Amino acid sequence: MSYADPRDANYIASANQPHASALASDYTALGIQLERRGIKIDDITRAVANFKVAIPSWGVGTGGTRFGRFPGKGEPRNVFEKLEDCAVIHRLTGATPTVSLHLPWDRTDDYKGLREHGAALGLGFDAMNSNTFQDQLGQPLSYKYGSLTHTDPAVRAQAVAHNIDCIKAGAILGSRALTVWIGDGANFPGQSHLGRAFERYLESTASIYKALPEDWRLFLEHKMYEPSFYATVIQDWGSSLMAAQTLGPKAFCLVDLGHHAPNVNIEMIVARLVHAQRLGGFHFNDSKYGDDDLDAGSIEPFRLFLVFNELVEAELAKAPNFRPAHMLDQSHNVTDPVESLMTSAIELQRAYAQALIVERPKLHEYRIGNDVLMAAQTLKRGFTTDVSPILAQARVSKGAAIDPVGAYRASGYRAKCGDMRPSKQSLGGGIV
Ligand code: LRH
Ligand code: MN
């Protein structure tokens, strides 16, 4: 099989050729449709082209569950190879210029070299993620009963030190944020003092907060359950917001879409965090039951649209302190991770474009006049409009592919990785 470098501009231009005229006519037709609604299609395309989402480094390898992981061909074997796959995603979508690393999964002795490798691939580094939800080989104290909230101050100190190490590594890489998610909690009523566990969390995160460089942010990620199955210390947005407001102005709440009970109104949580000026960012994914980490927009695209509708409302209202960091956090158990991450980034752009084309003045009138049906219909019209030509045109404007998955498959990149990266047979479970 002949290979082509899917990052190569000429390759992308030739891959786009067969799609160009269809895109041109579809774009013109949609432009006329939107014109009738008083919307300039090029304004939307520009906004979509400026939309960026970070790739989770742990997402470019095949993911798994506790029951098993079935590695695919040409898995990246280290963080340097992960960046190469991330560069393919960015070149073909134009939407993912940064990578969010997870330590120690991505630990290296050469963060300066890693930064340069990233720069050479056209990539930067987004929020760092610490990990005190697993024990590492040779780690003095175990996190079995918790980390930042462990009853033993020595374990808390070990966890705080790890987070500070993540900040130091991130500072070399050019990152500007640290995301802290901990699995700390209890499996049985009585196992932990719910109030004191939260106080220990505040004490430990205050030490991490103190170590933040001036222009950094701290993202607190809440999660309803797993690995704790009765009570999680930072279980919901309320606990996260209380902690952020206690810690200081550099602390914000990060919303992972999969960390809520089914049917929770996540767009409402987003609206409240915008009001509190504490919306730090997102881990986008989708789910039907638990923290399934499925591809964004694959299960509940309307819910994703409603989240972006709140973000567009905040953007238009010039909400203070509103600078959400967008990241994907997914586990690709049965698809090619590169394909899933490309399509997921595009589904976020789709939800954003759909929210941008909502006829807001009309919607406002219907709301003020309590014309409930027309208000709901006017909002939904954004969601039911096929904005695919805008998304493809935005990609073309960034030198990316009209059909990223088609271009990727035709390049033979995965097969080439299969030859270049002999797989190490690692069966068993776990998300990475
Ligand atoms: C926890 C989580 C967190 C990451 C991990 C990989 O469920 O969403 O953001 O650290 O997944
Ligand atoms: Mn997450």
PDB file of all heavy atoms in Angstrom, residues 58 102 129 179 181 221-223 254-259 282-285 291 293 328-330, ligand 2:
ATOM      1  N   TRP A  58      -4.215  11.191  26.201  1.00  0.00           N
ATOM      2  CA  TRP A  58      -4.594   9.813  26.516  1.00  0.00           C
ATOM      3  C   TRP A  58      -5.689   9.303  25.577  1.00  0.00           C
ATOM      4  O   TRP A  58      -6.071   8.148  25.642  1.00  0.00           O
ATOM      5  CB  TRP A  58      -5.044   9.710  27.977  1.00  0.00           C
ATOM      6  CG  TRP A  58      -6.224  10.564  28.368  1.00  0.00           C
ATOM      7  CD1 TRP A  58      -7.526  10.178  28.405  1.00  0.00           C
ATOM      8  CD2 TRP A  58      -6.208  11.939  28.753  1.00  0.00           C
ATOM      9  NE1 TRP A  58      -8.326  11.228  28.794  1.00  0.00           N
ATOM     10  CE2 TRP A  58      -7.531  12.331  29.009  1.00  0.00           C
ATOM     11  CE3 TRP A  58      -5.192  12.900  28.909  1.00  0.00           C
ATOM     12  CZ2 TRP A  58      -7.877  13.625  29.424  1.00  0.00           C
ATOM     13  CZ3 TRP A  58      -5.519  14.185  29.310  1.00  0.00           C
ATOM     14  CH2 TRP A  58      -6.856  14.530  29.570  1.00  0.00           C
ATOM     15  N   HIS A 102      -1.227  14.302  30.424  1.00  0.00           N
ATOM     16  CA  HIS A 102      -1.614  13.683  31.691  1.00  0.00           C
ATOM     17  C   HIS A 102      -0.364  13.069  32.317  1.00  0.00           C
ATOM     18  O   HIS A 102       0.312  12.257  31.686  1.00  0.00           O
ATOM     19  CB  HIS A 102      -2.641  12.576  31.432  1.00  0.00           C
ATOM     20  CG  HIS A 102      -3.709  12.471  32.465  1.00  0.00           C
ATOM     21  ND1 HIS A 102      -3.411  12.228  33.776  1.00  0.00           N
ATOM     22  CD2 HIS A 102      -5.045  12.595  32.368  1.00  0.00           C
ATOM     23  CE1 HIS A 102      -4.554  12.184  34.465  1.00  0.00           C
ATOM     24  NE2 HIS A 102      -5.560  12.408  33.628  1.00  0.00           N
ATOM     25  N   ASN A 129      -2.862  17.672  33.316  1.00  0.00           N
ATOM     26  CA  ASN A 129      -3.731  16.868  34.180  1.00  0.00           C
ATOM     27  C   ASN A 129      -2.878  16.064  35.144  1.00  0.00           C
ATOM     28  O   ASN A 129      -1.970  15.342  34.710  1.00  0.00           O
ATOM     29  CB  ASN A 129      -4.565  15.912  33.331  1.00  0.00           C
ATOM     30  CG  ASN A 129      -5.556  16.638  32.432  1.00  0.00           C
ATOM     31  OD1 ASN A 129      -6.692  16.868  32.803  1.00  0.00           O
ATOM     32  ND2 ASN A 129      -5.067  17.029  31.260  1.00  0.00           N
ATOM     33  N   THR A 179      -5.455  20.926  35.556  1.00  0.00           N
ATOM     34  CA  THR A 179      -6.754  20.342  35.885  1.00  0.00           C
ATOM     35  C   THR A 179      -6.569  19.304  36.983  1.00  0.00           C
ATOM     36  O   THR A 179      -5.713  18.425  36.863  1.00  0.00           O
ATOM     37  CB  THR A 179      -7.391  19.681  34.646  1.00  0.00           C
ATOM     38  OG1 THR A 179      -7.650  20.681  33.669  1.00  0.00           O
ATOM     39  CG2 THR A 179      -8.688  18.978  35.004  1.00  0.00           C
ATOM     40  N   TRP A 181      -8.521  16.471  38.892  1.00  0.00           N
ATOM     41  CA  TRP A 181      -9.648  15.565  39.144  1.00  0.00           C
ATOM     42  C   TRP A 181      -9.140  14.479  40.087  1.00  0.00           C
ATOM     43  O   TRP A 181      -8.089  13.881  39.844  1.00  0.00           O
ATOM     44  CB  TRP A 181     -10.179  14.892  37.876  1.00  0.00           C
ATOM     45  CG  TRP A 181     -11.143  13.805  38.256  1.00  0.00           C
ATOM     46  CD1 TRP A 181     -12.397  13.978  38.762  1.00  0.00           C
ATOM     47  CD2 TRP A 181     -10.912  12.391  38.287  1.00  0.00           C
ATOM     48  NE1 TRP A 181     -12.962  12.775  39.083  1.00  0.00           N
ATOM     49  CE2 TRP A 181     -12.067  11.776  38.777  1.00  0.00           C
ATOM     50  CE3 TRP A 181      -9.835  11.590  37.903  1.00  0.00           C
ATOM     51  CZ2 TRP A 181     -12.188  10.406  38.926  1.00  0.00           C
ATOM     52  CZ3 TRP A 181      -9.945  10.213  38.054  1.00  0.00           C
ATOM     53  CH2 TRP A 181     -11.115   9.633  38.568  1.00  0.00           C
ATOM     54  N   GLU A 221     -12.308  19.665  38.635  1.00  0.00           N
ATOM     55  CA  GLU A 221     -13.235  18.829  37.861  1.00  0.00           C
ATOM     56  C   GLU A 221     -14.103  17.991  38.797  1.00  0.00           C
ATOM     57  O   GLU A 221     -13.588  17.147  39.540  1.00  0.00           O
ATOM     58  CB  GLU A 221     -12.450  17.907  36.917  1.00  0.00           C
ATOM     59  CG  GLU A 221     -13.312  17.060  36.003  1.00  0.00           C
ATOM     60  CD  GLU A 221     -12.490  16.227  35.030  1.00  0.00           C
ATOM     61  OE1 GLU A 221     -11.231  16.303  35.104  1.00  0.00           O
ATOM     62  OE2 GLU A 221     -13.074  15.498  34.224  1.00  0.00           O
ATOM     63  N   HIS A 222     -15.402  18.203  38.787  1.00  0.00           N
ATOM     64  CA  HIS A 222     -16.303  17.409  39.639  1.00  0.00           C
ATOM     65  C   HIS A 222     -16.738  16.138  38.905  1.00  0.00           C
ATOM     66  O   HIS A 222     -16.641  16.038  37.676  1.00  0.00           O
ATOM     67  CB  HIS A 222     -17.532  18.236  40.047  1.00  0.00           C
ATOM     68  CG  HIS A 222     -18.379  18.707  38.897  1.00  0.00           C
ATOM     69  ND1 HIS A 222     -18.134  19.885  38.230  1.00  0.00           N
ATOM     70  CD2 HIS A 222     -19.456  18.136  38.273  1.00  0.00           C
ATOM     71  CE1 HIS A 222     -19.038  20.048  37.278  1.00  0.00           C
ATOM     72  NE2 HIS A 222     -19.847  18.998  37.269  1.00  0.00           N
ATOM     73  N   LYS A 223     -17.185  15.161  39.688  1.00  0.00           N
ATOM     74  CA  LYS A 223     -17.648  13.902  39.097  1.00  0.00           C
ATOM     75  C   LYS A 223     -18.568  13.203  40.093  1.00  0.00           C
ATOM     76  O   LYS A 223     -18.220  13.089  41.265  1.00  0.00           O
ATOM     77  CB  LYS A 223     -16.467  12.985  38.737  1.00  0.00           C
ATOM     78  CG  LYS A 223     -16.882  11.684  38.060  1.00  0.00           C
ATOM     79  CD  LYS A 223     -15.687  10.884  37.566  1.00  0.00           C
ATOM     80  CE  LYS A 223     -16.114   9.609  36.859  1.00  0.00           C
ATOM     81  NZ  LYS A 223     -14.970   8.822  36.333  1.00  0.00           N
ATOM     82  N   LEU A 254     -14.364  22.995  36.063  1.00  0.00           N
ATOM     83  CA  LEU A 254     -14.309  22.332  34.761  1.00  0.00           C
ATOM     84  C   LEU A 254     -15.459  21.340  34.676  1.00  0.00           C
ATOM     85  O   LEU A 254     -15.662  20.536  35.590  1.00  0.00           O
ATOM     86  CB  LEU A 254     -12.966  21.618  34.577  1.00  0.00           C
ATOM     87  CG  LEU A 254     -12.752  20.946  33.224  1.00  0.00           C
ATOM     88  CD1 LEU A 254     -11.347  21.197  32.692  1.00  0.00           C
ATOM     89  CD2 LEU A 254     -13.025  19.459  33.288  1.00  0.00           C
ATOM     90  N   VAL A 255     -16.214  21.427  33.580  1.00  0.00           N
ATOM     91  CA  VAL A 255     -17.398  20.583  33.401  1.00  0.00           C
ATOM     92  C   VAL A 255     -17.093  19.452  32.428  1.00  0.00           C
ATOM     93  O   VAL A 255     -16.906  19.685  31.228  1.00  0.00           O
ATOM     94  CB  VAL A 255     -18.583  21.421  32.865  1.00  0.00           C
ATOM     95  CG1 VAL A 255     -19.810  20.537  32.655  1.00  0.00           C
ATOM     96  CG2 VAL A 255     -18.896  22.582  33.799  1.00  0.00           C
ATOM     97  N   ASP A 256     -16.976  18.220  32.953  1.00  0.00           N
ATOM     98  CA  ASP A 256     -16.858  17.036  32.102  1.00  0.00           C
ATOM     99  C   ASP A 256     -18.275  16.535  31.888  1.00  0.00           C
ATOM    100  O   ASP A 256     -18.954  16.167  32.840  1.00  0.00           O
ATOM    101  CB  ASP A 256     -15.983  15.973  32.783  1.00  0.00           C
ATOM    102  CG  ASP A 256     -15.733  14.750  31.907  1.00  0.00           C
ATOM    103  OD1 ASP A 256     -16.725  14.231  31.335  1.00  0.00           O
ATOM    104  OD2 ASP A 256     -14.571  14.318  31.796  1.00  0.00           O
ATOM    105  N   LEU A 257     -18.732  16.537  30.623  1.00  0.00           N
ATOM    106  CA  LEU A 257     -20.141  16.243  30.342  1.00  0.00           C
ATOM    107  C   LEU A 257     -20.590  14.888  30.879  1.00  0.00           C
ATOM    108  O   LEU A 257     -21.745  14.715  31.259  1.00  0.00           O
ATOM    109  CB  LEU A 257     -20.425  16.330  28.833  1.00  0.00           C
ATOM    110  CG  LEU A 257     -20.859  17.706  28.292  1.00  0.00           C
ATOM    111  CD1 LEU A 257     -19.801  18.760  28.590  1.00  0.00           C
ATOM    112  CD2 LEU A 257     -21.162  17.660  26.803  1.00  0.00           C
ATOM    113  N   GLY A 258     -19.630  13.945  31.001  1.00  0.00           N
ATOM    114  CA  GLY A 258     -19.999  12.595  31.428  1.00  0.00           C
ATOM    115  C   GLY A 258     -20.049  12.414  32.933  1.00  0.00           C
ATOM    116  O   GLY A 258     -20.301  11.312  33.437  1.00  0.00           O
ATOM    117  N   HIS A 259     -19.831  13.463  33.666  1.00  0.00           N
ATOM    118  CA  HIS A 259     -19.708  13.344  35.131  1.00  0.00           C
ATOM    119  C   HIS A 259     -20.997  13.696  35.870  1.00  0.00           C
ATOM    120  O   HIS A 259     -20.947  14.109  37.050  1.00  0.00           O
ATOM    121  CB  HIS A 259     -18.543  14.218  35.621  1.00  0.00           C
ATOM    122  CG  HIS A 259     -17.211  13.646  35.249  1.00  0.00           C
ATOM    123  ND1 HIS A 259     -16.021  14.186  35.684  1.00  0.00           N
ATOM    124  CD2 HIS A 259     -16.875  12.609  34.451  1.00  0.00           C
ATOM    125  CE1 HIS A 259     -15.020  13.470  35.215  1.00  0.00           C
ATOM    126  NE2 HIS A 259     -15.501  12.509  34.454  1.00  0.00           N
ATOM    127  N   PHE A 282     -14.195  22.816  29.688  1.00  0.00           N
ATOM    128  CA  PHE A 282     -14.960  21.593  29.477  1.00  0.00           C
ATOM    129  C   PHE A 282     -14.066  20.402  29.149  1.00  0.00           C
ATOM    130  O   PHE A 282     -13.002  20.565  28.533  1.00  0.00           O
ATOM    131  CB  PHE A 282     -15.922  21.772  28.301  1.00  0.00           C
ATOM    132  CG  PHE A 282     -17.024  22.747  28.548  1.00  0.00           C
ATOM    133  CD1 PHE A 282     -16.857  24.097  28.256  1.00  0.00           C
ATOM    134  CD2 PHE A 282     -18.221  22.321  29.077  1.00  0.00           C
ATOM    135  CE1 PHE A 282     -17.882  25.009  28.494  1.00  0.00           C
ATOM    136  CE2 PHE A 282     -19.258  23.219  29.322  1.00  0.00           C
ATOM    137  CZ  PHE A 282     -19.079  24.565  29.036  1.00  0.00           C
ATOM    138  N   HIS A 283     -14.529  19.246  29.529  1.00  0.00           N
ATOM    139  CA  HIS A 283     -14.085  17.969  28.964  1.00  0.00           C
ATOM    140  C   HIS A 283     -15.281  17.458  28.197  1.00  0.00           C
ATOM    141  O   HIS A 283     -16.260  17.008  28.790  1.00  0.00           O
ATOM    142  CB  HIS A 283     -13.678  16.979  30.074  1.00  0.00           C
ATOM    143  CG  HIS A 283     -12.290  17.180  30.582  1.00  0.00           C
ATOM    144  ND1 HIS A 283     -11.750  16.402  31.580  1.00  0.00           N
ATOM    145  CD2 HIS A 283     -11.319  18.058  30.232  1.00  0.00           C
ATOM    146  CE1 HIS A 283     -10.502  16.790  31.811  1.00  0.00           C
ATOM    147  NE2 HIS A 283     -10.212  17.797  31.009  1.00  0.00           N
ATOM    148  N   PHE A 284     -15.225  17.637  26.883  1.00  0.00           N
ATOM    149  CA  PHE A 284     -16.352  17.222  26.047  1.00  0.00           C
ATOM    150  C   PHE A 284     -16.259  15.734  25.718  1.00  0.00           C
ATOM    151  O   PHE A 284     -15.177  15.197  25.458  1.00  0.00           O
ATOM    152  CB  PHE A 284     -16.383  18.030  24.751  1.00  0.00           C
ATOM    153  CG  PHE A 284     -16.807  19.459  24.914  1.00  0.00           C
ATOM    154  CD1 PHE A 284     -15.896  20.497  24.742  1.00  0.00           C
ATOM    155  CD2 PHE A 284     -18.118  19.781  25.244  1.00  0.00           C
ATOM    156  CE1 PHE A 284     -16.287  21.829  24.899  1.00  0.00           C
ATOM    157  CE2 PHE A 284     -18.527  21.099  25.401  1.00  0.00           C
ATOM    158  CZ  PHE A 284     -17.602  22.122  25.234  1.00  0.00           C
ATOM    159  N   ASN A 285     -17.404  15.084  25.754  1.00  0.00           N
ATOM    160  CA  ASN A 285     -17.561  13.680  25.363  1.00  0.00           C
ATOM    161  C   ASN A 285     -19.067  13.440  25.348  1.00  0.00           C
ATOM    162  O   ASN A 285     -19.843  14.395  25.424  1.00  0.00           O
ATOM    163  CB  ASN A 285     -16.872  12.743  26.378  1.00  0.00           C
ATOM    164  CG  ASN A 285     -17.233  13.108  27.806  1.00  0.00           C
ATOM    165  OD1 ASN A 285     -18.412  13.194  28.156  1.00  0.00           O
ATOM    166  ND2 ASN A 285     -16.221  13.350  28.637  1.00  0.00           N
ATOM    167  N   ASP A 291     -20.109   7.510  33.085  1.00  0.00           N
ATOM    168  CA  ASP A 291     -18.998   8.260  32.477  1.00  0.00           C
ATOM    169  C   ASP A 291     -18.444   7.446  31.315  1.00  0.00           C
ATOM    170  O   ASP A 291     -17.323   6.951  31.341  1.00  0.00           O
ATOM    171  CB  ASP A 291     -17.918   8.530  33.530  1.00  0.00           C
ATOM    172  CG  ASP A 291     -16.825   9.447  32.972  1.00  0.00           C
ATOM    173  OD1 ASP A 291     -17.106  10.142  31.978  1.00  0.00           O
ATOM    174  OD2 ASP A 291     -15.702   9.426  33.517  1.00  0.00           O
ATOM    175  N   ASP A 293     -17.522   8.231  28.331  1.00  0.00           N
ATOM    176  CA  ASP A 293     -16.445   8.829  27.519  1.00  0.00           C
ATOM    177  C   ASP A 293     -16.562   8.523  26.027  1.00  0.00           C
ATOM    178  O   ASP A 293     -15.566   8.286  25.351  1.00  0.00           O
ATOM    179  CB  ASP A 293     -15.074   8.354  28.045  1.00  0.00           C
ATOM    180  CG  ASP A 293     -14.691   9.132  29.315  1.00  0.00           C
ATOM    181  OD1 ASP A 293     -15.240  10.226  29.509  1.00  0.00           O
ATOM    182  OD2 ASP A 293     -13.858   8.626  30.078  1.00  0.00           O
ATOM    183  N   LEU A 328     -11.315  17.848  24.746  1.00  0.00           N
ATOM    184  CA  LEU A 328     -12.023  16.580  24.619  1.00  0.00           C
ATOM    185  C   LEU A 328     -11.461  15.645  25.692  1.00  0.00           C
ATOM    186  O   LEU A 328     -10.294  15.742  26.059  1.00  0.00           O
ATOM    187  CB  LEU A 328     -11.792  15.982  23.222  1.00  0.00           C
ATOM    188  CG  LEU A 328     -12.467  16.708  22.061  1.00  0.00           C
ATOM    189  CD1 LEU A 328     -11.873  16.271  20.719  1.00  0.00           C
ATOM    190  CD2 LEU A 328     -13.972  16.438  22.063  1.00  0.00           C
ATOM    191  N   ASP A 329     -12.331  14.785  26.226  1.00  0.00           N
ATOM    192  CA  ASP A 329     -11.857  13.751  27.154  1.00  0.00           C
ATOM    193  C   ASP A 329     -12.671  12.504  26.850  1.00  0.00           C
ATOM    194  O   ASP A 329     -13.801  12.367  27.318  1.00  0.00           O
ATOM    195  CB  ASP A 329     -12.052  14.191  28.612  1.00  0.00           C
ATOM    196  CG  ASP A 329     -11.594  13.107  29.593  1.00  0.00           C
ATOM    197  OD1 ASP A 329     -11.079  12.072  29.125  1.00  0.00           O
ATOM    198  OD2 ASP A 329     -11.767  13.294  30.808  1.00  0.00           O
ATOM    199  N   GLN A 330     -12.117  11.675  26.026  1.00  0.00           N
ATOM    200  CA  GLN A 330     -12.851  10.522  25.516  1.00  0.00           C
ATOM    201  C   GLN A 330     -12.003   9.254  25.608  1.00  0.00           C
ATOM    202  O   GLN A 330     -10.784   9.327  25.747  1.00  0.00           O
ATOM    203  CB  GLN A 330     -13.263  10.775  24.048  1.00  0.00           C
ATOM    204  CG  GLN A 330     -14.148  11.977  23.888  1.00  0.00           C
ATOM    205  CD  GLN A 330     -14.501  12.311  22.440  1.00  0.00           C
ATOM    206  OE1 GLN A 330     -15.261  13.245  22.187  1.00  0.00           O
ATOM    207  NE2 GLN A 330     -13.946  11.618  21.469  1.00  0.00           N
TER     208      GLN A 330
HETATM  209 MN    MN B   2     -12.502  14.484  32.379  1.00  0.00          MN
END
